Amino acid sequence: MAAKQIMIFALDDTDHSFYALEWTLDHFFNSIDSLFKLIIVHVKTSPTSVIGTSDVLMLVETDIKKTAQRVCEKAKQLCEARGVSNVEFDVVEGDARNVLCDAVDKHHAAILVMGSHRYGAFKRAVLGSASDYCSHHARSSVMIVKKPKAKN
């Protein structure tokens, strides 16, 4: 049996990200013979970007760690509910764009999957789009899963 290809899934704490994870599990891991091994990467923001006392920095760092644990636990429960148990989790601090491209390289991933936040043009120009960056710089295919817009 051939070794499975690696799929990196970029996870954050948004509904768009969890929708994309559910969609990915349903479409790529719905059988025992999945072609991929799943590695879920959650990028933590750096607490050093907060200006303040060391007490404030410690509180922010604790909050970031708790958020990462909560996000990964929720993802783990989604995977287990769909019978996907062989999942690795990687929590990395840094800029999502660089961390995700580095994860693709580190794991020799065949594909990077991420949700779309649907930022408007202004917000995307100011914040930058991780999916746009990764689609141009990752050394793998990149799939962006969009959450359907609510119908009126």
Side-chain angles (χ1 to χ4, degrees):
M1 185 169 98
K4 292 185 178 196
Q5 295 183 71
I6 302 295
M7 175 187 286
I8 302 288
F9 184 88
L11 180 70
D12 63 27
D13 63 347
T14 64
D15 289 343
H16 294 282
S17 187
F18 279 98
Y19 171 84
L21 177 58
E22 289 181 58
W23 188 94
T24 301
L25 293 171
D26 290 345
H27 287 83
F28 289 96
F29 296 92
N30 58 359
S31 72
I32 294 173
D33 297 332
S34 172
L35 297 173
F36 296 100
K37 176 182 179 190
L38 182 60
I39 299 175
I40 296 177
V41 177
H42 175 70
V43 182
K44 298 189 311 182
T45 55
S46 172
T48 56
S49 62
V50 176
I51 299 172
T53 65
S54 60
D55 290 341
V56 172
L57 188 62
M58 194 169 69
L59 287 172
V60 170
E61 193 170 289
T62 300
D63 188 53
I64 290 170
K65 284 181 183 177
K66 285 181 182 177
T67 299
Q69 289 172 338
R70 179 181 46 79
V71 168
C72 290
E73 186 57 37
K74 183 176 177 181
K76 184 177 180 183
Q77 290 171 0
L78 279 172
C79 292
E80 288 174 353
R82 286 171 168 73
V84 180
S85 58
N86 187 19
V87 180
E88 283 183 33
F89 287 86
D90 199 1
V91 177
V92 183
E93 187 176 298
D95 181 279
R97 296 169 291 193
N98 297 325
V99 167
L100 294 171
C101 289
D102 290 348
V104 166
D105 292 345
K106 174 184 169 186
H107 296 287
H108 307 287
I111 188 167
L112 168 64
V113 181
M114 50 200 327
S116 172
H117 291 147
R118 288 209 175 106
Y119 291 145
F122 178 75
K123 195 169 185 182
R124 191 171 47 251
V126 172
L127 295 177
S129 167
S131 57
D132 184 57
Y133 181 90
C134 290
S135 70
H136 289 93
H137 294 90
R139 292 186 194 150
S140 70
S141 293
V142 176
M143 183 172 72
I144 301 166
V145 179
K146 295 182 178 182
K147 186 175 181 179
K149 290 183 180 180
K151 295 180 182 177
N152 296 341

